[in-house]
């Protein structure tokens, strides 16, 4: 259908008047009819009370989400507990056999120092919190060593990196409670022949990663 035949004349289109409103724009001496399909135009709620578009549904959803987040935070703050994540294995594997464990910890310590970050990971020899996990202790050779951190994502990474370790988490009211340990002396037998291309770990390399109370006992 042709809307207009020429610039000098107006074209008439037969469209039901209920669906179409004809608006004439006047430019110079000529008239051009434009079809305005009102049913396709967006309707905005611009009442005098609000003088803005109504977003009641969106606001309600956001309010509900905010309320949920606030209640969760308040609950955690009220409890006063902090979550700690850990991987654990026998001491000989963690401190004397695993090839890359020492490098992983020293590299992370260096990164924290460069970025002025507070340490959030520790090595705990014979941790007391293991008493809460009978399903883990029955699978462990003793003495055991746990790598503990408040960073759950990093601990999961270390689980994949070390492989032969067990993963779990727990809550504690304080850092001292989380890192509590049973004192024990570690002794590792030296191999008769060392065939690896790199030097063997030096005994005690892990001492800088022990909890502060354990480091004082080492002095």
């Amino acid at each position: 259908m042709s809307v207009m035949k020429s610039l000098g004349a107006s074209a008439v289109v037969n469209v039901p008047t209920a669906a179409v409103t004809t608006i004439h724009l006047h430019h110079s001496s000529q008239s051009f009819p434009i079809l305005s399909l009102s049913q396709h135009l967006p309707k905005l709620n611009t009442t005098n009370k609000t003088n803005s578009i109504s977003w009641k549904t969106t606001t309600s959803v956001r309010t509900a989400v905010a309320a949920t987040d606030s209640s969760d935070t308040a609950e955690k703050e009220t409890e006063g507990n902090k979550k700690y994540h850990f991987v654990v294995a026998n001491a000989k594997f963690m401190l004397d056999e695993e090839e890359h464990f020492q490098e992983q910890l020293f590299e992370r310590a260096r990164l924290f120092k460069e970025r002025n970050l507070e340490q959030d990971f520790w090595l705990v020899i014979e941790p007391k919190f293991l008493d809460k996990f009978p399903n883990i202790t029955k699978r462990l050779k003793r003495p055991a060593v746990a790598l503990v951190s408040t960073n759950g994502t990093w601990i999961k990474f270390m689980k994949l990196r070390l492989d032969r370790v067990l993963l779990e988490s727990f809550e504690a009211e304080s850092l001292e409670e989380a890192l509590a340990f049973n004192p024990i002396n570690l002794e590792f037998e030296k191999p008769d022949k060392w065939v690896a291309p790199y030097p063997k770990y030096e005994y005690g390399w892990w001492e800088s990663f022990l909890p502060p109370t354990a480091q004082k006992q080492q002095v």
Side-chain angles (χ1 to χ4, degrees):
M1 178 184 298
S2 175
V3 177
M4 60 179 62
K5 296 180 179 180
S6 65
L7 294 177
S10 298
V12 179
V13 180
N14 294 325
V15 181
T17 56
V20 179
T21 302
T22 302
I23 303 174
H24 291 274
L25 297 181
H26 295 278
H27 180 69
S28 299
S29 61
Q30 298 190 4
S31 174
F32 298 93
I34 299 177
L35 302 180
S36 174
L37 304 183
S38 58
Q39 68 273 25
H40 296 297
L41 296 177
K43 295 182 179 180
L44 303 180
N45 181 11
T46 55
T47 61
N48 293 332
K49 184 177 180 180
T50 61
N51 195 30
S52 62
I53 300 174
S54 176
W55 301 103
K56 293 182 180 179
T57 302
T58 305
T59 304
S60 300
V61 173
R62 290 177 179 173
T63 302
V65 172
T68 302
D69 294 341
S70 299
S71 62
D72 291 344
T73 303
E75 183 178 355
K76 292 179 181 179
E77 291 177 352
T78 302
E79 292 176 354
N81 291 341
K82 195 167 187 178
K83 193 166 188 178
Y84 295 84
H85 308 263
F86 69 91
V87 290
V88 64
N90 68 81
K92 183 167 180 58
F93 170 76
M94 294 283 274
L95 306 180
D96 193 55
E97 293 181 348
E98 171 53 40
E99 299 178 2
H100 307 291
F101 191 41
Q102 182 189 38
E103 287 82 358
Q104 290 282 345
L105 294 189
F106 277 110
E107 177 63 22
R108 188 164 180 82
R110 182 190 64 79
L111 178 66
F112 273 47
K113 184 177 181 180
E114 289 180 353
R115 298 184 179 182
N116 294 321
L117 298 176
E118 184 178 356
Q119 182 178 340
D120 66 352
F121 63 99
W122 304 267
L123 285 176
V124 186
I125 301 173
E126 279 297 301
K128 290 185 177 182
F129 63 74
L130 285 180
D131 295 338
K132 303 177 182 178
F133 303 95
N135 291 334
I136 288 182
T137 55
K138 68 182 182 182
R139 301 169 59 186
L140 273 178
K141 291 182 179 180
R142 311 303 282 264
V145 172
L147 174 62
V148 184
S149 177
T150 55
N151 189 328
T153 302
W154 181 66
I155 287 294
K156 290 179 181 178
F157 165 77
M158 292 302 295
K159 168 65 172 75
L160 297 175
R161 191 71 178 82
L162 298 173
D163 189 32
R164 294 161 52 191
V165 294
L166 301 173
L167 172 71
E168 255 297 352
S169 63
F170 65 97
E171 292 185 355
E173 293 183 357
S174 65
L175 182 63
E176 291 75 17
E177 177 188 345
L179 304 182
F181 60 94
N182 297 310
I184 188 173
N185 292 324
L186 294 178
E187 294 183 2
F188 302 128
E189 294 182 1
K190 294 183 178 180
D192 296 333
K193 186 178 182 181
W194 184 254
V195 296
Y198 49 85
K200 184 172 175 53
Y201 292 163
E202 293 183 4
Y203 183 91
W205 67 263
W206 55 83
E207 292 178 358
S208 60
F209 300 102
L210 296 177
T213 53
Q215 293 184 25
K216 292 179 181 178
Q217 294 182 9
Q218 298 289 335
V219 177

